Amino acid sequence: MYPNKIIFDMTLYDILISIGIIACFFVFDHLADKRKLRGKFQKFVLLCGIFAIIIGFGSSIFFQAIYNIPSVGRFEIVKNTGATFYGGLVGGVVSFLLIYFSIGHFAFKKTDLCGYHSENFFSMASCAVPSILIAHAFGRLGCLTAGCCHGAVTDAWYGILMDGNLGYQKYVPVQLFEALFLFALFALMFFNARRGGRYNLSIYMVAYGIWRFLIEYLRDDYRGSVGLDVTPSQLIAILMIVGAVGVFALEKVLLDRQAAKISKNTENNGEIIED
């Protein structure tokens, strides 16, 4: 592919990652407006997102260093350590949730938005899912240009020449396959969020979990095993799928409760009180 520097000491990988992050914020802003989320709340979420991206970036390198132990024989973080999406996702999501609920509680406690961030968590998440997907999709295209995160060596027609782990030869373009999948899932999640649909978060967890579990079989970079011939990435994929059940149930309960509350208030406001 083309891992060379192009402009301002940036490679195509860096440029595509940057485009993905910018697209992420634009998509969230558009969807949050469509869902009529309050302006101050949107700004708070974007600030949480910025901190989550920074922490997630560090987390992605940290987890990659752990993955590299079988090949380099030790834990080390150097210039060419690399990064892993799952590591960034875990670190980013955990840090986002901690900031969102802890700081959000105090930030809105004495304002007219008191409790607003908790009540609208799943509406926010529905907007955040397509935002993450578009960033991830461009990131995978970046991986393709850098020649990293590729699949196994192949002679198949769909193989692409890359300077990979085993030298310059044809590999399964797992990065391209995943980018196409992510763009397709993004389109689905985007239009679902735009029309006010539910369950974006749980759908994403199931869809990406299944995809990542299966696509691992096309890869050939050993990153350890957690037993039963399951890789660490496949284990996380399984946990995502299982966790989606709980997320779906929680969203259904909370949204149904909100709907019942709104219906009750509407009925009470419509009552005619006789003297």
Side-chain angles (χ1 to χ4, degrees):
M1 299 310 291
Y2 196 82
N4 304 322
K5 294 177 181 177
I6 299 177
I7 185 172
F8 299 128
D9 210 34
M10 296 177 69
T11 64
L12 268 176
Y13 175 85
D14 301 317
I15 293 171
L16 286 166
I17 291 290
S18 300
I19 291 173
I21 293 175
I22 293 170
C24 169
F25 287 112
F26 271 107
V27 168
F28 180 83
D29 184 64
H30 171 77
L31 292 176
D33 284 342
K34 284 293 181 181
R35 301 284 290 240
K36 293 182 171 53
L37 295 177
R38 302 274 291 274
K40 290 182 181 179
F41 174 67
Q42 288 187 41
K43 292 178 181 178
F44 170 71
V45 173
L46 289 175
L47 285 174
C48 291
I50 291 171
F51 281 106
I53 288 172
I54 295 171
I55 296 171
F57 180 73
S59 177
S60 69
I61 297 174
F62 175 81
F63 275 89
Q64 183 64 52
I66 295 176
Y67 282 148
N68 291 344
I69 292 176
S71 58
V72 302
R74 62 186 180 278
F75 175 87
E76 64 176 11
I77 296 179
V78 293
K79 186 177 180 180
N80 62 342
T81 294
T84 177
F85 169 74
Y86 264 149
L89 181 66
V90 172
V93 168
V94 170
S95 59
F96 180 89
L97 292 177
L98 287 174
I99 297 170
Y100 183 86
F101 285 107
S102 60
I103 296 181
H105 171 75
F106 294 103
F108 300 129
K109 187 176 182 180
K110 296 181 180 180
T111 70
D112 59 340
L113 291 176
C114 182
Y116 185 86
H117 70 299
S118 298
E119 294 174 359
N120 289 276
F121 173 76
F122 282 108
S123 290
M124 178 278 299
S126 285
C127 301
V129 165
S131 307
I132 293 171
L133 283 166
I134 194 69
H136 191 187
F138 277 107
R140 279 300 183 222
L141 288 179
C143 291
L144 179 65
T145 64
C148 62
C149 307
H150 54 73
V153 174
T154 182
D155 291 324
W157 62 269
Y158 51 78
I160 294 180
L161 287 170
M162 302 181 215
D163 188 13
N165 297 336
L166 300 176
Y168 190 74
Q169 52 187 313
K170 288 176 69 174
Y171 295 90
V172 178
V174 170
Q175 319 97 310
L176 178 60
F177 296 160
E178 183 155 331
L180 294 174
F181 168 79
L182 291 169
F183 278 121
L185 187 58
F186 159 75
L188 175 65
M189 299 289 92
F190 178 84
F191 288 111
N192 187 49
R194 201 172 188 277
R195 66 179 181 81
R198 297 182 174 189
Y199 311 119
N200 256 10
L201 183 55
S202 52
I203 293 172
Y204 164 71
M205 292 172 70
V206 171
Y208 186 71
I210 293 173
W211 167 264
R212 188 56 188 267
F213 185 91
L214 296 176
I215 203 70
E216 283 292 300
Y217 288 113
L218 296 181
R219 299 184 65 162
D220 194 28
D221 51 341
Y222 181 71
R223 297 188 175 189
S225 175
V226 292
L228 299 176
D229 199 28
V230 174
T231 67
S233 293
Q234 287 177 319
L235 175 62
I236 296 175
I238 293 171
L239 293 176
M240 283 183 70
I241 296 168
V242 173
V245 178
V247 171
F248 174 85
L250 180 61
E251 182 172 3
K252 188 176 189 310
V253 168
L254 292 178
L255 293 182
D256 288 350
R257 185 180 298 171
Q258 287 179 10
K261 183 178 179 180
I262 293 172
S263 177
K264 185 176 180 180
N265 289 338
T266 302
E267 291 177 0
N268 289 339
N269 290 337
E271 285 181 353
I272 299 176
I273 302 176
E274 297 183 359
D275 195 349

